[in-house]
PDB file of all heavy atoms in Angstrom:
ATOM      1  N   ALA A  52     -16.096  28.381  68.476  1.00 97.00           N
ATOM      2  CA  ALA A  52     -17.359  28.847  67.905  1.00 97.00           C
ATOM      3  C   ALA A  52     -17.146  29.417  66.509  1.00 97.00           C
ATOM      4  O   ALA A  52     -17.934  29.155  65.585  1.00 97.00           O
ATOM      5  CB  ALA A  52     -17.983  29.905  68.820  1.00 97.00           C
ATOM      6  N   ALA A  53     -16.051  30.174  66.343  1.00 97.00           N
ATOM      7  CA  ALA A  53     -15.763  30.749  65.030  1.00 97.00           C
ATOM      8  C   ALA A  53     -15.468  29.664  64.005  1.00 97.00           C
ATOM      9  O   ALA A  53     -15.954  29.707  62.861  1.00 97.00           O
ATOM     10  CB  ALA A  53     -14.583  31.717  65.140  1.00 97.00           C
ATOM     11  N   ALA A  54     -14.673  28.669  64.401  1.00 97.00           N
ATOM     12  CA  ALA A  54     -14.334  27.581  63.478  1.00 97.00           C
ATOM     13  C   ALA A  54     -15.580  26.791  63.077  1.00 97.00           C
ATOM     14  O   ALA A  54     -15.776  26.472  61.891  1.00 97.00           O
ATOM     15  CB  ALA A  54     -13.299  26.662  64.121  1.00 97.00           C
ATOM     16  N   LEU A  55     -16.415  26.486  64.063  1.00 96.00           N
ATOM     17  CA  LEU A  55     -17.648  25.765  63.754  1.00 96.00           C
ATOM     18  C   LEU A  55     -18.578  26.593  62.873  1.00 96.00           C
ATOM     19  O   LEU A  55     -19.216  26.072  61.950  1.00 96.00           O
ATOM     20  CB  LEU A  55     -18.367  25.385  65.053  1.00 96.00           C
ATOM     21  CG  LEU A  55     -17.781  24.209  65.827  1.00 96.00           C
ATOM     22  CD1 LEU A  55     -18.375  24.153  67.236  1.00 96.00           C
ATOM     23  CD2 LEU A  55     -18.050  22.898  65.097  1.00 96.00           C
ATOM     24  N   GLY A  56     -18.663  27.893  63.175  1.00 96.00           N
ATOM     25  CA  GLY A  56     -19.516  28.756  62.373  1.00 96.00           C
ATOM     26  C   GLY A  56     -19.057  28.847  60.928  1.00 96.00           C
ATOM     27  O   GLY A  56     -19.865  28.725  59.985  1.00 96.00           O
ATOM     28  N   LEU A  57     -17.744  29.042  60.713  1.00 97.00           N
ATOM     29  CA  LEU A  57     -17.224  29.121  59.348  1.00 97.00           C
ATOM     30  C   LEU A  57     -17.377  27.783  58.632  1.00 97.00           C
ATOM     31  O   LEU A  57     -17.725  27.739  57.443  1.00 97.00           O
ATOM     32  CB  LEU A  57     -15.753  29.536  59.391  1.00 97.00           C
ATOM     33  CG  LEU A  57     -15.481  30.989  59.831  1.00 97.00           C
ATOM     34  CD1 LEU A  57     -13.988  31.228  59.984  1.00 97.00           C
ATOM     35  CD2 LEU A  57     -16.084  31.975  58.830  1.00 97.00           C
ATOM     36  N   GLY A  58     -17.110  26.701  59.379  1.00 95.00           N
ATOM     37  CA  GLY A  58     -17.294  25.384  58.772  1.00 95.00           C
ATOM     38  C   GLY A  58     -18.732  25.122  58.381  1.00 95.00           C
ATOM     39  O   GLY A  58     -19.017  24.573  57.306  1.00 95.00           O
ATOM     40  N   GLY A  59     -19.661  25.534  59.247  1.00 95.00           N
ATOM     41  CA  GLY A  59     -21.071  25.361  58.938  1.00 95.00           C
ATOM     42  C   GLY A  59     -21.500  26.165  57.727  1.00 95.00           C
ATOM     43  O   GLY A  59     -22.247  25.675  56.865  1.00 95.00           O
ATOM     44  N   LEU A  60     -21.017  27.399  57.625  1.00 96.00           N
ATOM     45  CA  LEU A  60     -21.355  28.226  56.456  1.00 96.00           C
ATOM     46  C   LEU A  60     -20.768  27.647  55.177  1.00 96.00           C
ATOM     47  O   LEU A  60     -21.418  27.662  54.122  1.00 96.00           O
ATOM     48  CB  LEU A  60     -20.836  29.652  56.675  1.00 96.00           C
ATOM     49  CG  LEU A  60     -21.552  30.470  57.760  1.00 96.00           C
ATOM     50  CD1 LEU A  60     -20.851  31.805  57.975  1.00 96.00           C
ATOM     51  CD2 LEU A  60     -23.021  30.695  57.390  1.00 96.00           C
ATOM     52  N   ALA A  61     -19.537  27.131  55.259  1.00 94.00           N
ATOM     53  CA  ALA A  61     -18.914  26.526  54.077  1.00 94.00           C
ATOM     54  C   ALA A  61     -19.695  25.290  53.625  1.00 94.00           C
ATOM     55  O   ALA A  61     -19.943  25.097  52.422  1.00 94.00           O
ATOM     56  CB  ALA A  61     -17.461  26.161  54.384  1.00 94.00           C
ATOM     57  N   LEU A  62     -20.086  24.444  54.587  1.00 92.00           N
ATOM     58  CA  LEU A  62     -20.881  23.261  54.240  1.00 92.00           C
ATOM     59  C   LEU A  62     -22.223  23.651  53.634  1.00 92.00           C
ATOM     60  O   LEU A  62     -22.697  23.022  52.679  1.00 92.00           O
ATOM     61  CB  LEU A  62     -21.102  22.401  55.482  1.00 92.00           C
ATOM     62  CG  LEU A  62     -19.976  21.462  55.894  1.00 92.00           C
ATOM     63  CD1 LEU A  62     -20.343  20.765  57.197  1.00 92.00           C
ATOM     64  CD2 LEU A  62     -19.699  20.430  54.804  1.00 92.00           C
ATOM     65  N   ALA A  63     -22.826  24.697  54.209  1.00 92.00           N
ATOM     66  CA  ALA A  63     -24.107  25.153  53.670  1.00 92.00           C
ATOM     67  C   ALA A  63     -23.961  25.642  52.235  1.00 92.00           C
ATOM     68  O   ALA A  63     -24.816  25.368  51.371  1.00 92.00           O
ATOM     69  CB  ALA A  63     -24.679  26.260  54.556  1.00 92.00           C
ATOM     70  N   ALA A  64     -22.863  26.346  51.950  1.00 91.00           N
ATOM     71  CA  ALA A  64     -22.637  26.836  50.590  1.00 91.00           C
ATOM     72  C   ALA A  64     -22.460  25.675  49.616  1.00 91.00           C
ATOM     73  O   ALA A  64     -23.000  25.685  48.501  1.00 91.00           O
ATOM     74  CB  ALA A  64     -21.396  27.738  50.566  1.00 91.00           C
ATOM     75  N   VAL A  65     -21.702  24.659  50.035  1.00 86.00           N
ATOM     76  CA  VAL A  65     -21.522  23.484  49.178  1.00 86.00           C
ATOM     77  C   VAL A  65     -22.858  22.779  48.958  1.00 86.00           C
ATOM     78  O   VAL A  65     -23.187  22.375  47.828  1.00 86.00           O
ATOM     79  CB  VAL A  65     -20.498  22.519  49.819  1.00 86.00           C
ATOM     80  CG1 VAL A  65     -20.468  21.194  49.053  1.00 86.00           C
ATOM     81  CG2 VAL A  65     -19.113  23.145  49.844  1.00 86.00           C
ATOM     82  N   ALA A  66     -23.642  22.641  50.025  1.00 85.00           N
ATOM     83  CA  ALA A  66     -24.925  21.956  49.909  1.00 85.00           C
ATOM     84  C   ALA A  66     -25.871  22.700  48.977  1.00 85.00           C
ATOM     85  O   ALA A  66     -26.558  22.086  48.144  1.00 85.00           O
ATOM     86  CB  ALA A  66     -25.553  21.804  51.293  1.00 85.00           C
ATOM     87  N   VAL A  67     -25.912  24.012  49.083  1.00 85.00           N
ATOM     88  CA  VAL A  67     -26.783  24.806  48.203  1.00 85.00           C
ATOM     89  C   VAL A  67     -26.341  24.656  46.755  1.00 85.00           C
ATOM     90  O   VAL A  67     -27.174  24.556  45.839  1.00 85.00           O
ATOM     91  CB  VAL A  67     -26.766  26.283  48.643  1.00 85.00           C
ATOM     92  CG1 VAL A  67     -27.441  27.164  47.602  1.00 85.00           C
ATOM     93  CG2 VAL A  67     -27.460  26.437  49.985  1.00 85.00           C
ATOM     94  N   HIS A  68     -25.028  24.627  46.545  1.00 80.00           N
ATOM     95  CA  HIS A  68     -24.512  24.449  45.179  1.00 80.00           C
ATOM     96  C   HIS A  68     -24.948  23.107  44.600  1.00 80.00           C
ATOM     97  O   HIS A  68     -25.202  22.993  43.393  1.00 80.00           O
ATOM     98  CB  HIS A  68     -22.980  24.545  45.203  1.00 80.00           C
ATOM     99  CG  HIS A  68     -22.352  24.319  43.862  1.00 80.00           C
ATOM    100  ND1 HIS A  68     -22.425  25.227  42.826  1.00 80.00           N
ATOM    101  CD2 HIS A  68     -21.641  23.249  43.380  1.00 80.00           C
ATOM    102  CE1 HIS A  68     -21.796  24.749  41.761  1.00 80.00           C
ATOM    103  NE2 HIS A  68     -21.299  23.558  42.080  1.00 80.00           N
ATOM    104  N   LEU A  69     -25.032  22.095  45.459  1.00 76.00           N
ATOM    105  CA  LEU A  69     -25.392  20.756  44.988  1.00 76.00           C
ATOM    106  C   LEU A  69     -26.894  20.523  44.899  1.00 76.00           C
ATOM    107  O   LEU A  69     -27.332  19.519  44.334  1.00 76.00           O
ATOM    108  CB  LEU A  69     -24.793  19.698  45.922  1.00 76.00           C
ATOM    109  CG  LEU A  69     -23.269  19.629  45.986  1.00 76.00           C
ATOM    110  CD1 LEU A  69     -22.838  18.624  47.038  1.00 76.00           C
ATOM    111  CD2 LEU A  69     -22.688  19.253  44.626  1.00 76.00           C
ATOM    112  N   LEU A  70     -27.678  21.435  45.471  1.00 74.00           N
ATOM    113  CA  LEU A  70     -29.123  21.214  45.534  1.00 74.00           C
ATOM    114  C   LEU A  70     -29.781  21.200  44.166  1.00 74.00           C
ATOM    115  O   LEU A  70     -30.848  20.622  43.990  1.00 74.00           O
ATOM    116  CB  LEU A  70     -29.788  22.285  46.399  1.00 74.00           C
ATOM    117  CG  LEU A  70     -29.889  21.993  47.890  1.00 74.00           C
ATOM    118  CD1 LEU A  70     -30.477  23.183  48.627  1.00 74.00           C
ATOM    119  CD2 LEU A  70     -30.703  20.747  48.158  1.00 74.00           C
ATOM    120  N   GLY A  71     -29.153  21.831  43.168  1.00 61.00           N
ATOM    121  CA  GLY A  71     -29.793  21.963  41.864  1.00 61.00           C
ATOM    122  C   GLY A  71     -30.157  20.638  41.244  1.00 61.00           C
ATOM    123  O   GLY A  71     -31.275  20.449  40.765  1.00 61.00           O
ATOM    124  N   ASP A  72     -29.227  19.696  41.281  1.00 55.00           N
ATOM    125  CA  ASP A  72     -29.516  18.413  40.637  1.00 55.00           C
ATOM    126  C   ASP A  72     -29.543  17.238  41.609  1.00 55.00           C
ATOM    127  O   ASP A  72     -29.775  16.088  41.188  1.00 55.00           O
ATOM    128  CB  ASP A  72     -28.482  18.121  39.548  1.00 55.00           C
ATOM    129  CG  ASP A  72     -27.055  18.237  40.062  1.00 55.00           C
ATOM    130  OD1 ASP A  72     -26.885  18.403  41.289  1.00 55.00           O
ATOM    131  OD2 ASP A  72     -26.120  18.156  39.238  1.00 55.00           O
ATOM    132  N   LEU A  73     -29.346  17.514  42.938  1.00 52.00           N
ATOM    133  CA  LEU A  73     -29.376  16.453  43.937  1.00 52.00           C
ATOM    134  C   LEU A  73     -28.620  15.206  43.452  1.00 52.00           C
ATOM    135  O   LEU A  73     -29.208  14.131  43.263  1.00 52.00           O
ATOM    136  CB  LEU A  73     -30.819  16.062  44.286  1.00 52.00           C
ATOM    137  CG  LEU A  73     -31.620  17.107  45.066  1.00 52.00           C
ATOM    138  CD1 LEU A  73     -33.043  16.641  45.248  1.00 52.00           C
ATOM    139  CD2 LEU A  73     -30.982  17.352  46.427  1.00 52.00           C
ATOM    140  N   PRO A  74     -27.324  15.319  43.207  1.00 52.00           N
ATOM    141  CA  PRO A  74     -26.583  14.189  42.640  1.00 52.00           C
ATOM    142  C   PRO A  74     -26.546  13.000  43.591  1.00 52.00           C
ATOM    143  O   PRO A  74     -26.537  13.160  44.800  1.00 52.00           O
ATOM    144  CB  PRO A  74     -25.171  14.766  42.449  1.00 52.00           C
ATOM    145  CG  PRO A  74     -25.078  15.855  43.486  1.00 52.00           C
ATOM    146  CD  PRO A  74     -26.459  16.433  43.581  1.00 52.00           C
ATOM    147  N   ALA A  75     -26.520  11.839  43.038  1.00 53.00           N
ATOM    148  CA  ALA A  75     -26.372  10.628  43.852  1.00 53.00           C
ATOM    149  C   ALA A  75     -24.937  10.547  44.365  1.00 53.00           C
ATOM    150  O   ALA A  75     -24.015  11.072  43.750  1.00 53.00           O
ATOM    151  CB  ALA A  75     -26.705   9.396  43.017  1.00 53.00           C
ATOM    152  N   ASN A  76     -24.751   9.880  45.475  1.00 54.00           N
ATOM    153  CA  ASN A  76     -23.406   9.750  46.028  1.00 54.00           C
ATOM    154  C   ASN A  76     -22.550   8.852  45.142  1.00 54.00           C
ATOM    155  O   ASN A  76     -23.020   7.867  44.578  1.00 54.00           O
ATOM    156  CB  ASN A  76     -23.466   9.134  47.430  1.00 54.00           C
ATOM    157  CG  ASN A  76     -24.142  10.070  48.397  1.00 54.00           C
ATOM    158  OD1 ASN A  76     -24.121  11.271  48.211  1.00 54.00           O
ATOM    159  ND2 ASN A  76     -24.754   9.506  49.424  1.00 54.00           N
ATOM    160  N   GLU A  77     -21.286   9.212  45.054  1.00 55.00           N
ATOM    161  CA  GLU A  77     -20.330   8.311  44.420  1.00 55.00           C
ATOM    162  C   GLU A  77     -20.163   7.087  45.318  1.00 55.00           C
ATOM    163  O   GLU A  77     -20.056   7.212  46.533  1.00 55.00           O
ATOM    164  CB  GLU A  77     -19.002   9.023  44.231  1.00 55.00           C
ATOM    165  CG  GLU A  77     -19.048  10.192  43.262  1.00 55.00           C
ATOM    166  CD  GLU A  77     -19.333   9.744  41.841  1.00 55.00           C
ATOM    167  OE1 GLU A  77     -18.997   8.580  41.502  1.00 55.00           O
ATOM    168  OE2 GLU A  77     -19.930  10.528  41.084  1.00 55.00           O
ATOM    169  N   PRO A  78     -20.117   5.881  44.757  1.00 58.00           N
ATOM    170  CA  PRO A  78     -20.032   4.668  45.587  1.00 58.00           C
ATOM    171  C   PRO A  78     -18.840   4.668  46.522  1.00 58.00           C
ATOM    172  O   PRO A  78     -18.947   4.224  47.665  1.00 58.00           O
ATOM    173  CB  PRO A  78     -19.924   3.546  44.538  1.00 58.00           C
ATOM    174  CG  PRO A  78     -20.555   4.104  43.312  1.00 58.00           C
ATOM    175  CD  PRO A  78     -20.246   5.573  43.328  1.00 58.00           C
ATOM    176  N   GLU A  79     -17.681   5.202  46.042  1.00 63.00           N
ATOM    177  CA  GLU A  79     -16.508   5.168  46.901  1.00 63.00           C
ATOM    178  C   GLU A  79     -16.609   6.147  48.065  1.00 63.00           C
ATOM    179  O   GLU A  79     -15.835   6.071  49.007  1.00 63.00           O
ATOM    180  CB  GLU A  79     -15.240   5.460  46.083  1.00 63.00           C
ATOM    181  CG  GLU A  79     -15.221   6.833  45.421  1.00 63.00           C
ATOM    182  CD  GLU A  79     -15.817   6.789  44.023  1.00 63.00           C
ATOM    183  OE1 GLU A  79     -16.557   5.824  43.709  1.00 63.00           O
ATOM    184  OE2 GLU A  79     -15.542   7.711  43.237  1.00 63.00           O
ATOM    185  N   LEU A  80     -17.562   7.081  48.004  1.00 69.00           N
ATOM    186  CA  LEU A  80     -17.739   8.049  49.085  1.00 69.00           C
ATOM    187  C   LEU A  80     -18.569   7.472  50.228  1.00 69.00           C
ATOM    188  O   LEU A  80     -18.461   7.930  51.375  1.00 69.00           O
ATOM    189  CB  LEU A  80     -18.418   9.308  48.533  1.00 69.00           C
ATOM    190  CG  LEU A  80     -18.443  10.552  49.413  1.00 69.00           C
ATOM    191  CD1 LEU A  80     -17.031  11.006  49.744  1.00 69.00           C
ATOM    192  CD2 LEU A  80     -19.215  11.668  48.727  1.00 69.00           C
ATOM    193  N   SER A  81     -19.391   6.496  49.963  1.00 81.00           N
ATOM    194  CA  SER A  81     -20.315   5.967  50.960  1.00 81.00           C
ATOM    195  C   SER A  81     -19.629   5.416  52.205  1.00 81.00           C
ATOM    196  O   SER A  81     -20.061   5.700  53.328  1.00 81.00           O
ATOM    197  CB  SER A  81     -21.198   4.891  50.332  1.00 81.00           C
ATOM    198  OG  SER A  81     -22.061   5.465  49.376  1.00 81.00           O
ATOM    199  N   PRO A  82     -18.550   4.624  52.071  1.00 84.00           N
ATOM    200  CA  PRO A  82     -17.906   4.119  53.299  1.00 84.00           C
ATOM    201  C   PRO A  82     -17.407   5.232  54.217  1.00 84.00           C
ATOM    202  O   PRO A  82     -17.511   5.121  55.446  1.00 84.00           O
ATOM    203  CB  PRO A  82     -16.745   3.269  52.768  1.00 84.00           C
ATOM    204  CG  PRO A  82     -17.174   2.870  51.406  1.00 84.00           C
ATOM    205  CD  PRO A  82     -17.953   4.032  50.864  1.00 84.00           C
ATOM    206  N   LEU A  83     -16.856   6.295  53.619  1.00 85.00           N
ATOM    207  CA  LEU A  83     -16.378   7.413  54.431  1.00 85.00           C
ATOM    208  C   LEU A  83     -17.531   8.095  55.155  1.00 85.00           C
ATOM    209  O   LEU A  83     -17.426   8.425  56.348  1.00 85.00           O
ATOM    210  CB  LEU A  83     -15.641   8.416  53.547  1.00 85.00           C
ATOM    211  CG  LEU A  83     -15.134   9.684  54.240  1.00 85.00           C
ATOM    212  CD1 LEU A  83     -14.124   9.334  55.329  1.00 85.00           C
ATOM    213  CD2 LEU A  83     -14.522  10.642  53.214  1.00 85.00           C
ATOM    214  N   LEU A  84     -18.640   8.299  54.462  1.00 85.00           N
ATOM    215  CA  LEU A  84     -19.806   8.937  55.082  1.00 85.00           C
ATOM    216  C   LEU A  84     -20.370   8.058  56.199  1.00 85.00           C
ATOM    217  O   LEU A  84     -20.738   8.556  57.270  1.00 85.00           O
ATOM    218  CB  LEU A  84     -20.879   9.209  54.038  1.00 85.00           C
ATOM    219  CG  LEU A  84     -20.553  10.288  52.988  1.00 85.00           C
ATOM    220  CD1 LEU A  84     -21.606  10.300  51.898  1.00 85.00           C
ATOM    221  CD2 LEU A  84     -20.440  11.654  53.648  1.00 85.00           C
ATOM    222  N   LEU A  85     -20.451   6.759  55.935  1.00 90.00           N
ATOM    223  CA  LEU A  85     -20.991   5.845  56.945  1.00 90.00           C
ATOM    224  C   LEU A  85     -20.099   5.803  58.183  1.00 90.00           C
ATOM    225  O   LEU A  85     -20.598   5.842  59.320  1.00 90.00           O
ATOM    226  CB  LEU A  85     -21.131   4.446  56.354  1.00 90.00           C
ATOM    227  CG  LEU A  85     -22.231   4.262  55.296  1.00 90.00           C
ATOM    228  CD1 LEU A  85     -22.111   2.895  54.634  1.00 90.00           C
ATOM    229  CD2 LEU A  85     -23.609   4.432  55.917  1.00 90.00           C
ATOM    230  N   ALA A  86     -18.788   5.738  57.975  1.00 92.00           N
ATOM    231  CA  ALA A  86     -17.863   5.688  59.109  1.00 92.00           C
ATOM    232  C   ALA A  86     -17.904   6.996  59.898  1.00 92.00           C
ATOM    233  O   ALA A  86     -17.930   6.985  61.135  1.00 92.00           O
ATOM    234  CB  ALA A  86     -16.443   5.408  58.613  1.00 92.00           C
ATOM    235  N   SER A  87     -17.931   8.127  59.188  1.00 91.00           N
ATOM    236  CA  SER A  87     -17.986   9.428  59.866  1.00 91.00           C
ATOM    237  C   SER A  87     -19.283   9.578  60.650  1.00 91.00           C
ATOM    238  O   SER A  87     -19.289  10.070  61.785  1.00 91.00           O
ATOM    239  CB  SER A  87     -17.854  10.567  58.840  1.00 91.00           C
ATOM    240  OG  SER A  87     -16.628  10.496  58.147  1.00 91.00           O
ATOM    241  N   GLY A  88     -20.391   9.155  60.053  1.00 92.00           N
ATOM    242  CA  GLY A  88     -21.672   9.259  60.740  1.00 92.00           C
ATOM    243  C   GLY A  88     -21.721   8.403  61.986  1.00 92.00           C
ATOM    244  O   GLY A  88     -22.206   8.831  63.040  1.00 92.00           O
ATOM    245  N   ALA A  89     -21.213   7.165  61.881  1.00 94.00           N
ATOM    246  CA  ALA A  89     -21.209   6.274  63.045  1.00 94.00           C
ATOM    247  C   ALA A  89     -20.322   6.825  64.155  1.00 94.00           C
ATOM    248  O   ALA A  89     -20.673   6.763  65.339  1.00 94.00           O
ATOM    249  CB  ALA A  89     -20.726   4.882  62.624  1.00 94.00           C
ATOM    250  N   LEU A  90     -19.167   7.414  63.781  1.00 95.00           N
ATOM    251  CA  LEU A  90     -18.256   7.956  64.779  1.00 95.00           C
ATOM    252  C   LEU A  90     -18.881   9.153  65.499  1.00 95.00           C
ATOM    253  O   LEU A  90     -18.844   9.233  66.738  1.00 95.00           O
ATOM    254  CB  LEU A  90     -16.945   8.370  64.113  1.00 95.00           C
ATOM    255  CG  LEU A  90     -15.884   8.993  65.034  1.00 95.00           C
ATOM    256  CD1 LEU A  90     -15.465   7.999  66.104  1.00 95.00           C
ATOM    257  CD2 LEU A  90     -14.684   9.461  64.225  1.00 95.00           C
ATOM    258  N   LEU A  91     -19.458  10.088  64.740  1.00 93.00           N
ATOM    259  CA  LEU A  91     -20.078  11.265  65.370  1.00 93.00           C
ATOM    260  C   LEU A  91     -21.239  10.855  66.273  1.00 93.00           C
ATOM    261  O   LEU A  91     -21.397  11.384  67.378  1.00 93.00           O
ATOM    262  CB  LEU A  91     -20.570  12.236  64.294  1.00 93.00           C
ATOM    263  CG  LEU A  91     -19.503  13.017  63.525  1.00 93.00           C
ATOM    264  CD1 LEU A  91     -20.151  13.930  62.493  1.00 93.00           C
ATOM    265  CD2 LEU A  91     -18.647  13.841  64.481  1.00 93.00           C
ATOM    266  N   GLY A  92     -22.054   9.927  65.803  1.00 94.00           N
ATOM    267  CA  GLY A  92     -23.172   9.479  66.622  1.00 94.00           C
ATOM    268  C   GLY A  92     -22.721   8.813  67.906  1.00 94.00           C
ATOM    269  O   GLY A  92     -23.288   9.049  68.981  1.00 94.00           O
ATOM    270  N   ALA A  93     -21.672   7.976  67.809  1.00 95.00           N
ATOM    271  CA  ALA A  93     -21.165   7.287  68.999  1.00 95.00           C
ATOM    272  C   ALA A  93     -20.588   8.277  69.994  1.00 95.00           C
ATOM    273  O   ALA A  93     -20.811   8.165  71.213  1.00 95.00           O
ATOM    274  CB  ALA A  93     -20.105   6.262  68.588  1.00 95.00           C
TER     275      ALA A  93
END
């Protein structure tokens, strides 16, 4: 629970930092995101 909580807060901090300009994804990042999303969903 502690690890998930700290990880969630860290992700939230990164997301808030990026919210200002809503940058588009780097093309090389997309395969990693797609693979991670498919794995978690499965």
